[in-house]
Amino acid sequence: MSEFCRENPGVSVRLLFSDEVSNIYRDPIDIAVRYGELKNSSYVALPLAPHNRRVLVASPEYLAREGALKSPADLAGRECILWFRNEHIHNAWSFSGAAGQQTIIVHGRYVSNDADVSRRWALAGYGIAYKSWLDVQEEIASGRLVPLLADLRGEKAPLNFICPHRSQFSPVVRQIYTILRDFFATIPPQAE
């Protein structure tokens, strides 16, 4: 966004980061970028990373200390890094694999409403995190985080570009969408 503003001096940006879901009709928002399956079809929503999924990760230090997971059921006895949104803790982690769909209830002392804090806790070895591939793919590539139970597919976590009304889908907003879409297209896909 900074580069876009530098190249377009007539455009102003007020960039807000939050893991809370903002009300795009009530709040003064021209565009939003959101994870998850969209349930409201009353706004313009375009895919940025439609095939993104969650992945279990831990640091090499954590795995050296606690050992690797053998099955999803092992998560129930491990320190997991949890997140919450809208005052709801997300502690039911779902996976699909050869045995079908399964959901494990996890526990942990580290709970945050900020995705970056959760990633940092995982990097520091505090526990196992269930993160968006987009959030951790660089750390996985560098070896700072290790994917766990790679034979399982995590929950879908598509990333979408949202505009409250079609009338707000201006040429500038279209250009921002194109820049973001092209950026996310450069990220290596998650192994299937």
Side-chain angles (χ1 to χ4, degrees), residues 55 132-142 183 186-188:
V55 59
S132 159
W133 170 256
L134 296 174
D135 289 347
V136 295
Q137 55 85 25
E138 288 181 3
E139 286 80 7
I140 291 171
S142 70
F183 168 77
T186 66
I187 294 176

Side-chain angles (χ1 to χ4, degrees), residues 103-123:
T103 300
I104 307 296
I105 303 300
V106 297
H107 307 280
R109 298 178 298 143
Y110 301 95
V111 183
S112 177
N113 70 337
D114 186 284
D116 190 53
V117 169
S118 299
R119 183 184 60 80
R120 289 173 190 244
W121 280 338
L123 285 165

Side-chain angles (χ1 to χ4, degrees), residues 47-75:
L48 290 172
H51 303 294
N52 186 54
R53 290 185 172 273
R54 293 196 174 279
V55 59
L56 285 170
V57 292
S59 70
E61 294 78 14
Y62 174 86
L63 294 173
R65 186 176 68 244
E66 302 294 334
L69 297 175
K70 294 185 176 112
S71 74
D74 292 347
L75 284 166

Side-chain angles (χ1 to χ4, degrees), residues 69-157:
L69 297 175
K70 294 185 176 112
S71 74
D74 292 347
L75 284 166
R78 295 295 185 98
E79 183 71 49
C80 293
I81 299 168
L82 306 176
W83 73 92
F84 66 93
R85 182 183 309 137
N86 301 330
E87 300 180 20
H88 173 73
I89 295 177
H90 190 263
N91 68 336
W93 295 359
S94 296
F95 310 92
S96 59
Q101 183 79 18
Q102 54 186 309
T103 300
I104 307 296
I105 303 300
V106 297
H107 307 280
R109 298 178 298 143
Y110 301 95
V111 183
S112 177
N113 70 337
D114 186 284
D116 190 53
V117 169
S118 299
R119 183 184 60 80
R120 289 173 190 244
W121 280 338
L123 285 165
Y126 291 128
I128 297 171
Y130 193 39
K131 298 288 297 164
S132 159
W133 170 256
L134 296 174
D135 289 347
V136 295
Q137 55 85 25
E138 288 181 3
E139 286 80 7
I140 291 171
S142 70
R144 293 174 58 208
L145 287 174
V146 177
L148 308 174
L149 302 176
D151 57 326
L152 297 177
R153 292 178 58 160
E155 296 172 10
K156 291 180 182 178

